[in-house]
Amino acid sequence: MTKQVSHYVNRDLSWIEFNRRVLEEAQDNRNPLLERAKFLSIVSSNLDEFMSVRVAGIQDQMRAGLTKMDFTGYTPSGLWKRLIKRTTGMVVEQYRTYREIFRALGKEGICIRNFDELNVAQTKAVSDYFHEIVFPVLTPMAVDQSRPFPLVHTKELYLAVLLQRDGASPEEEPLFAIVQVPSILSRFVPVPGRINSKKLEFVLLEELIEQFINTLFNGYTPFSVNPFRITRNADLTLNEEGAEDLLEEIEKELRRRRWGIPVRLEVVKGMHPYALDTLREELEIEDNLFEIDGPLDLSFLMKFVNSLPGYDNLRYERLEPVYPREFDASDDMFEVIRGRDVLMYHPYESFEAVNDFVEQAAYDPDVLAIKMTLYRVSGQSALVQALAKAAESGKQVTVVVELKARFDEERNIAWARQLEKAGCHVVYGLVGLKTHAKILLVVRREQGTLRRYVHVGTGNYNDSTATLYTDIGLFTSHPIIGGDASALFNEVTGYSSPYEWKAFGVAPTDLKEKLYRLIDREKQNALAGKRAHIIAKMNSLSNQEVIDKLYEASQAGVKIELIVRGVCCLRPGVAGRSENIKVISIVDRYLEHSRVMYFLNGGAEEVYLSSADWMTRNLTKRIELMCPVYQPELRTMLIKMLKLNLEDNVKSRELKPSGLYESIELTSKAQKPFRSQFEAKLIPLWKGHA
């Protein structure tokens, strides 16, 4: 009997398909070699987070004895087995790709050598480096009756060492020790070039330590040295209701994270059985063992590639973000925004305009207040410095810092303290909710009245990721948007009755309901015989109720085109349910990150920017924002951007009813390849002056 296919694709299985698309970019020989190596790094980083959060959560459910199926038809144990099987296969494929890429890099003169491949001069050079730089940093940690198994940090690289005491009989049980490979030192150690050779050669730090491991154990003979690495449960368990000080509570939880339950053990293939058994027993990890045929943790490849001098022929052509032309004609950004709204498309347009806006507001004597949300901020944030200057000059500066932004908690705590020290009012959001909205409000005194200037975005206020992610930002002084912006900050920072939003959709109060109304309006138009069309671009789509709404609209005849980069639980192309829905995913040089929604609305088109994906956590457990774009020419620009994505036939993959993705094939020889991120006329076309 054939098992009935669920109406939905499982979220975690869909995520694996997304990471597989990232891996395909590492395998695509149309991409420059060094960029392919970067994609391999991203695959590893993605998998680390997936294991420490999603797989860890499923294991928690299994330990709690939960057997209930989710809405996609999987029990925790059934899903766990499928996830491990698919991720294991992916890792095997990842390392096959690693070997292929480094064979090709070797031909280009970039080599990671085995120690026994070095000549005499090179061996002496790395030996000197070990004894002068590496050896003083190393700490051997023995495990015996008087020295219990030490704390092994998550996602750090270690060596498991088996030793025999000098003079001991061969039958004596081995001694066990571990050595941490210091992350403070570069993972890739340059090797002096050979005579008459232009090649760049390296050895990996762990192999260098292995070669000289005997220097750490006088009187003992190491006979087996094998790298290993564990991934721990990284979810924070916060009692926000009972916490007197949220910042202190999160700091405590970050310390506890170091002791999270291990969820994955990675070891080098062929590890000594005694060492492997010892690790599994001490770490109490029975399953989720990955035996790796190659260097553990390929995330180091990102730094490796970025450190290499030259080799521009093996990289993408450098993109210089252009400064938004709207601000070129005037030094007064407030004057420009008073006259018209301004859209920015990152990374093609520079994030410096946002920094400049806050900087100008900080020094403008007519600016009375600056309010802003910060979710993920770069390590050297010009925005934070400008906010501090504004507070020090006497302006009212309020910053909503999200302390619970996963893996950025420590950095955000540091920023919060720096802002408080400068005199800013720092707010940590509402209990039980993450503040994920991206909004900046400047209140300015002009001719005896107050005017609000607002920036809303689809991405974080992070000048680093703004060069790597595609995102949209909107500057506006529209009074309705300004009024909603003030009300939003009042709700987050103070006590405020539920507000009747005039422009915004705000989660968790009414964003989902607003989406329902917009989808239902298209559905009613279709039932009335009118053209009905929805285009929505986002990172993930997993909320069951929204998916059901889209199914209803499809069945009524609404044309629905979804551009979903990552997880998509909707199953398109199913007769009688979703045959009018098309889903594509674009994975390319830049991380597609913008959230943009288009509704035909009987010809009176509406376009929205949003911070929210259509996921349950975004719609019910976070403070999110969806903002309309009022100016017709800006709506036209955004529709052009969406259509550029939909026309992509190079890096776009289409989701099939099976839940798998297929590359889009050219339908004829006359059809030209179109790669949306590399369209030569992108900014002129988008800005409408080509």
Side-chain angles (χ1 to χ4, degrees):
M1 182 176 178
T2 304
K3 182 181 177 182
Q4 185 177 0
V5 177
S6 169
H7 298 339
Y8 314 95
V9 178
N10 178 269
R11 169 182 170 173
D12 295 305
L13 295 176
S14 180
W15 182 91
I16 290 176
E17 289 304 309
F18 159 65
N19 211 33
R20 190 175 298 281
R21 296 194 292 281
V22 179
L23 178 56
E24 286 172 3
E25 291 304 303
Q27 297 167 332
D28 189 343
N29 56 23
R30 294 173 296 182
N31 292 330
L33 262 176
L34 292 177
E35 305 297 342
R36 291 172 62 190
K38 284 186 180 181
F39 279 113
L40 272 187
S41 171
I42 295 168
V43 171
S44 287
S45 299
N46 286 349
L47 197 53
D48 279 350
E49 182 169 348
F50 182 68
M51 287 288 171
S52 64
V53 178
R54 297 299 304 174
V55 173
I58 293 167
Q59 287 186 331
D60 286 344
Q61 293 175 3
M62 292 165 60
R63 276 190 288 270
L66 297 181
T67 58
K68 184 180 178 181
M69 286 185 179
D70 63 16
F71 75 93
T72 66
Y74 285 93
T75 62
S77 61
L79 178 59
W80 188 85
K81 291 174 184 175
R82 285 163 177 79
L83 293 178
I84 298 308
K85 181 178 180 181
R86 292 198 189 183
T87 51
T88 300
M90 182 188 298
V91 170
V92 170
E93 199 173 338
Q94 180 190 14
Y95 277 85
R96 179 186 60 77
T97 307
Y98 168 81
R99 290 187 288 275
E100 175 189 324
I101 288 173
F102 271 85
R103 279 195 296 270
L105 285 174
K107 295 176 183 177
E108 298 288 345
I110 302 170
C111 308
I112 292 183
R113 297 292 190 192
N114 294 324
F115 196 85
D116 56 13
E117 294 177 307
L118 305 183
N119 63 27
V120 174
Q122 290 175 320
T123 301
K124 182 181 185 309
V126 297
S127 173
D128 291 345
Y129 176 80
F130 173 83
H131 288 92
E132 293 171 12
I133 305 297
V134 181
F135 178 80
V137 182
L138 298 178
T139 303
M141 293 176 282
V143 178
D144 55 27
Q145 289 180 333
S146 63
R147 290 168 289 193
F149 199 85
L151 171 65
V152 175
H153 295 283
T154 186
K155 296 186 286 190
E156 294 284 351
L157 190 60
Y158 290 83
L159 299 176
V161 185
L162 294 181
L163 306 115
Q164 201 79 43
R165 185 169 46 83
D166 290 352
S169 66
E171 294 79 21
E172 193 171 304
E173 187 172 323
L175 300 170
F176 183 87
I178 68 172
V179 177
Q180 182 174 359
V181 178
S183 56
I184 198 170
L185 299 179
S186 174
R187 178 88 181 272
F188 38 94
V189 179
V191 176
R194 300 165 192 258
I195 297 174
N196 298 324
S197 173
K198 294 183 179 179
K199 288 186 176 182
L200 290 180
E201 299 180 77
F202 304 86
V203 293
L204 292 178
L205 181 58
E206 62 267 29
E207 186 172 357
L208 180 60
I209 296 171
E210 180 182 349
Q211 290 301 316
F212 298 101
I213 197 74
N214 60 302
T215 61
L216 298 173
F217 299 99
N218 292 326
Y220 295 83
T221 302
F223 64 88
S224 174
V225 183
N226 298 125
F228 74 94
R229 181 174 183 262
I230 67 166
T231 309
R232 295 184 182 273
N233 187 326
D235 252 0
L236 298 182
T237 306
L238 289 172
N239 176 19
E240 292 187 54
E241 294 281 357
E244 292 184 13
D245 186 316
L246 183 59
L247 187 145
E248 289 184 5
E249 187 68 20
I250 290 177
E251 286 183 315
K252 290 177 187 175
E253 281 299 318
L254 288 174
R255 289 191 288 271
R256 291 189 198 112
R257 183 184 272 172
R258 292 180 292 180
W259 296 93
I261 297 173
V263 296
R264 175 183 59 167
L265 173 61
E266 297 170 278
V267 301
V268 72
K269 189 175 181 181
M271 184 180 220
H272 193 287
Y274 184 90
L276 180 57
D277 289 344
T278 301
L279 287 175
R280 297 181 79 162
E281 180 181 350
E282 293 288 351
L283 296 170
E284 299 180 355
I285 185 164
E286 298 178 5
D287 302 305
N288 210 1
L289 169 69
F290 284 74
E291 295 186 272
I292 305 297
D293 187 11
L296 303 189
D297 184 19
L298 295 183
S299 66
F300 82 90
L301 291 175
M302 186 67 73
K303 286 184 179 178
F304 176 71
V305 168
N306 289 335
S307 73
L308 296 174
Y311 293 97
D312 290 344
N313 60 314
L314 303 182
R315 307 177 194 273
Y316 290 130
E317 184 179 348
R318 181 173 173 79
L319 172 82
E320 287 292 346
V322 299
Y323 201 80
R325 65 183 180 89
E326 293 87 346
F327 295 126
D328 278 344
S330 174
D331 292 333
D332 187 346
M333 299 180 78
F334 295 114
E335 179 184 33
V336 173
I337 300 166
R338 274 197 305 276
R340 58 164 298 178
D341 292 356
V342 177
L343 269 180
M344 295 189 301
Y345 191 4
H346 309 300
Y348 309 100
E349 292 181 290
S350 174
F351 189 79
E352 282 301 308
V354 180
N355 292 340
D356 291 347
F357 179 70
V358 178
E359 184 97 2
Q360 184 172 330
Y363 287 103
D364 189 324
D366 291 321
V367 168
L368 305 180
I370 304 173
K371 302 183 182 186
M372 189 176 188
T373 59
L374 292 179
Y375 189 75
R376 296 191 195 278
V377 189
S378 67
Q380 301 293 326
S381 176
L383 282 175
V384 172
Q385 307 303 329
L387 291 169
K389 290 175 186 174
E392 288 164 355
S393 67
K395 302 184 192 307
Q396 291 288 314
V397 179
T398 304
V399 188
V400 182
V401 178
E402 181 46 71
L403 296 181
K404 302 184 292 295
R406 184 178 287 128
F407 303 122
D408 275 338
E409 298 97 342
E410 290 184 68
R411 178 180 291 172
N412 285 3
I413 286 171
W415 284 131
R417 288 196 163 127
Q418 181 175 329
L419 288 166
E420 284 180 330
K421 188 175 180 180
C424 300
H425 300 295
V426 178
V427 179
Y428 305 137
L430 298 176
V431 171
L433 299 174
K434 283 187 179 180
T435 304
H436 193 249
K438 327 295 184 186
I439 184 167
L440 163 63
L441 169 66
V442 173
V443 181
R444 191 169 187 262
R445 181 176 46 216
E446 296 178 1
Q447 298 176 344
T449 186
L450 295 182
R451 187 186 294 269
R452 298 179 180 94
Y453 294 85
V454 178
H455 175 274
V456 295
T458 64
N460 299 310
Y461 289 111
N462 186 315
D463 46 14
S464 176
T465 57
T467 65
L468 305 172
Y469 297 2
T470 68
D471 270 308
I472 307 293
L474 170 69
F475 283 110
T476 181
S477 61
H478 196 291
I480 295 177
I481 291 177
D484 276 7
S486 287
L488 177 61
F489 279 105
N490 288 343
E491 286 206 356
V492 174
T493 64
Y495 295 107
S496 182
S497 299
Y499 181 76
E500 198 168 317
W501 306 104
K502 297 175 178 61
F504 290 171
V506 176
T509 54
D510 78 331
L511 179 52
K512 185 193 285 190
E513 287 68 27
K514 184 160 189 171
L515 286 174
Y516 287 175
R517 291 194 298 271
L518 294 169
I519 295 169
D520 282 340
R521 187 177 63 190
E522 296 300 317
K523 172 184 166 183
Q524 294 306 318
N525 285 340
L527 292 173
K530 299 178 183 178
R531 287 176 57 237
H533 191 188
I534 298 171
I535 307 175
K537 175 179 169 64
M538 66 199 77
N539 299 324
S540 298
L541 168 59
S542 62
N543 181 266
Q544 182 183 3
E545 291 82 4
V546 174
I547 292 171
D548 288 342
K549 279 288 181 185
L550 294 170
Y551 284 159
E552 291 175 16
S554 170
Q555 291 164 31
V558 180
K559 180 182 179 181
I560 302 173
E561 295 175 292
L562 303 175
I563 307 161
V564 186
R565 184 199 75 218
V567 169
C568 182
C569 296
L570 181 148
R571 199 180 291 275
V574 177
R577 179 174 301 109
S578 57
E579 66 266 40
N580 290 316
I581 304 178
K582 178 181 180 180
V583 179
I584 67 166
S585 169
I586 296 173
V587 178
D588 203 345
R589 173 180 183 173
Y590 302 114
L591 184 79
E592 292 286 345
H593 193 255
S594 52
R595 292 104 167 181
V596 184
M597 291 83 199
Y598 162 83
F599 300 89
L600 179 57
N601 188 28
E605 298 171 315
E606 292 184 1
V607 178
Y608 296 85
L609 302 178
S610 182
S611 62
D613 294 314
W614 291 356
M615 304 176 73
T616 300
R617 72 183 187 191
N618 297 89
L619 299 175
T620 63
K621 299 178 181 178
R622 292 185 173 189
I623 298 171
E624 300 276 11
L625 173 64
M626 185 171 76
C627 176
V629 178
Y630 284 132
Q631 287 191 3
E633 64 271 25
L634 300 192
R635 290 200 296 267
T636 300
M637 288 162 59
L638 288 168
I639 294 167
K640 282 182 180 179
M641 184 271 288
L642 292 171
K643 289 182 177 178
L644 283 172
N645 284 176
L646 291 169
E647 290 171 13
D648 194 306
N649 55 26
V650 176
K651 292 299 182 182
S652 176
R653 283 90 160 176
E654 184 173 358
L655 177 59
K656 297 299 181 180
S658 63
L660 302 178
Y661 288 77
E662 294 182 5
S663 296
I664 294 176
E665 301 291 337
L666 300 182
T667 55
S668 69
K669 291 183 179 179
Q671 186 181 7
K672 294 182 178 180
F674 185 87
R675 190 171 176 180
S676 59
Q677 289 192 2
F678 280 65
E679 171 55 31
K681 297 179 181 178
L682 185 62
I683 285 297
L685 174 65
W686 195 70
K687 288 292 190 183
H689 58 107

